[in-house]
């Protein structure tokens, strides 16, 4: 019997959920490191750190790390914290990272964990065709007409498909996201310059909005070393060291 793409990605999601439980029991929490910027820059945001909203929460980010894809080694990461990351946006942008250029397709799926019925029909399931450049990649939910329900946790998975006929060989990574009310942080944004928004989001525990706004600033100024260092330091705080090194290498 031929396995559908939805069935295959749901199987990967279930495997990631089991791995997350084991990871939470075994892995130490990454050390916090404050992002630093040049104090003399007129547009530089102040130093900041990501403060998880629920310290000690179960790990939901799994997979990633350096894996073999054929004859090559590569690192695949979802740009997510270890625990469920928050967003205040109904159609956020999520990011993933790969250390090598790919000549294989990449599948990305988002599923709700609210019920089995919702999980059986992914909120988003797309196939990204090669060639795919190494580095950071953005998926804008607004481009796909997908809106997250408030208060619902979603699991998202990125899979490099080595062999479409044998999905057990996929290289996968996954994390989770939850839409929450902005509350006080949205009020603070009204009084702050745009360059300070990532810091305000991160210090309020709103991971996905912090990374998105910071990444947008980098896209507008790709040669800005301060912004690259800021994102690298933020990534290191949640243990995404390989992705952080990519930003630091781009500074040179």
């Amino acid at each position: 019997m031929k396995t559908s793409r939805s069935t295959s990605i749901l199987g990967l999601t279930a495997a990631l959920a089991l791995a997350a439980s084991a990871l939470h029991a075994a892995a130490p929490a990454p050390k916090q490191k404050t992002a630093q910027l040049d104090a003399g820059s007129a547009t530089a945001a102040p130093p900041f750190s990501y403060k998880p909203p629920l310290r000690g929460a179960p790990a939901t980010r799994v997979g990633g790390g350096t894996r073999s894809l054929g004859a090559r080694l590569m690192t695949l990461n979802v740009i997510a914290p270890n625990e469920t990351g928050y967003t205040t946006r109904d159609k956020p942008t999520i990011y993933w990272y790969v250390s090598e250029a790919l000549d294989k397709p990449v599948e990305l799926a988002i599923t709700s964990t609210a019920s089995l019925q919702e999980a059986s029909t992914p909120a988003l399931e797309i196939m990204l065709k090669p060639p795919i450049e190494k580095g950071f990649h953005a998926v804008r939910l607004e481009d796909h007409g997908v809106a997250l329900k408030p208060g619902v946790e979603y699991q998202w998975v990125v899979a490099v498909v080595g062999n479409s006929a044998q999905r057990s060989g996929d290289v996968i990574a996954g994390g989770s996201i939850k839409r929450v009310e902005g509350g006080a942080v949205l009020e603070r944004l009204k009084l702050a310059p745009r360059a300070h928004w990532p810091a305000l989001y991160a210090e309020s525990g709103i991971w996905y909005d912090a990374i998105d706004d910071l990444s947008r600033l980098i896209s507008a100024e790709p040669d800005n070393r301060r912004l690259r260092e800021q994102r690298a330091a933020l990534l290191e705080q949640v243990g995404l060291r390989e992705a952080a090194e990519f930003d630091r290498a781009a500074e040179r």
Side-chain angles (χ1 to χ4, degrees):
M1 180 182 296
K2 184 178 180 180
T3 303
S4 68
R5 285 173 53 198
S6 294
T7 301
S8 64
I9 205 69
L10 288 172
L12 294 177
T13 302
L16 285 172
L18 290 174
S21 299
L23 181 64
H24 177 61
K31 294 182 179 179
Q32 295 283 332
K33 180 179 179 181
T34 301
Q36 300 287 341
L37 293 178
D38 289 349
S41 171
T43 60
F48 68 91
S49 62
Y50 171 62
K51 298 178 181 178
L54 296 173
R55 292 187 181 277
T60 58
R61 189 188 75 214
V62 293
T66 301
R67 296 282 304 277
S68 174
L69 183 67
R72 294 184 300 162
L73 292 177
M74 70 166 201
T75 298
L76 177 70
N77 291 128
V78 292
I79 305 304
N82 285 297
E83 65 290 325
T84 298
Y86 286 0
T87 179
T88 64
R89 299 164 184 169
D90 62 338
K91 299 175 183 176
T93 297
I94 55 179
Y95 292 81
W96 59 280
Y97 165 81
V98 65
S99 64
E100 301 291 335
L102 299 173
D103 58 2
K104 305 289 185 182
V106 170
E107 186 172 8
L108 184 144
I110 301 175
T111 58
S112 168
T113 62
S115 68
L116 290 176
Q117 182 178 1
E118 287 183 297
S120 65
T121 305
L124 175 66
E125 186 178 10
I126 58 174
M127 188 71 77
L128 307 174
K129 297 181 180 179
I132 295 172
E133 296 181 353
K134 68 178 181 180
F136 293 88
H137 297 270
V139 176
R140 297 172 178 83
L141 299 196
E142 186 171 10
D143 293 346
H144 301 280
V146 173
L148 304 183
K149 298 177 181 179
V152 174
E153 185 173 318
Y154 293 81
Q155 195 163 45
W156 64 287
V157 179
V158 176
V160 179
V161 183
N163 182 349
S164 59
Q166 182 56 265
R167 297 298 299 274
S168 62
D170 287 2
V171 178
I172 60 175
S176 58
I177 184 171
K178 184 178 182 179
R179 178 184 164 195
V180 298
E181 295 295 331
V185 66
L186 297 183
E187 292 300 318
R188 295 175 65 193
L189 294 180
K190 296 177 182 178
L191 304 176
R194 192 63 181 261
H196 292 194
W197 285 17
L200 293 175
Y201 277 125
E203 291 172 353
S204 300
I206 312 296
W207 172 266
Y208 286 99
D209 298 359
I211 283 292
D212 183 29
D213 280 13
L214 187 51
S215 297
R216 288 174 187 268
L217 292 173
I218 291 172
S219 294
E221 298 183 67
D223 296 326
N224 189 319
R225 296 179 61 185
R226 292 186 302 274
L227 293 175
R228 292 276 186 178
E229 172 58 33
Q230 190 174 31
R231 188 169 67 178
L234 192 58
L235 294 171
E236 283 184 333
Q237 290 177 38
V238 297
L240 296 173
R241 296 177 183 83
E242 294 88 352
E245 283 305 312
F246 178 85
D247 264 341
R248 292 208 167 94
E251 297 174 20
R252 304 184 186 110

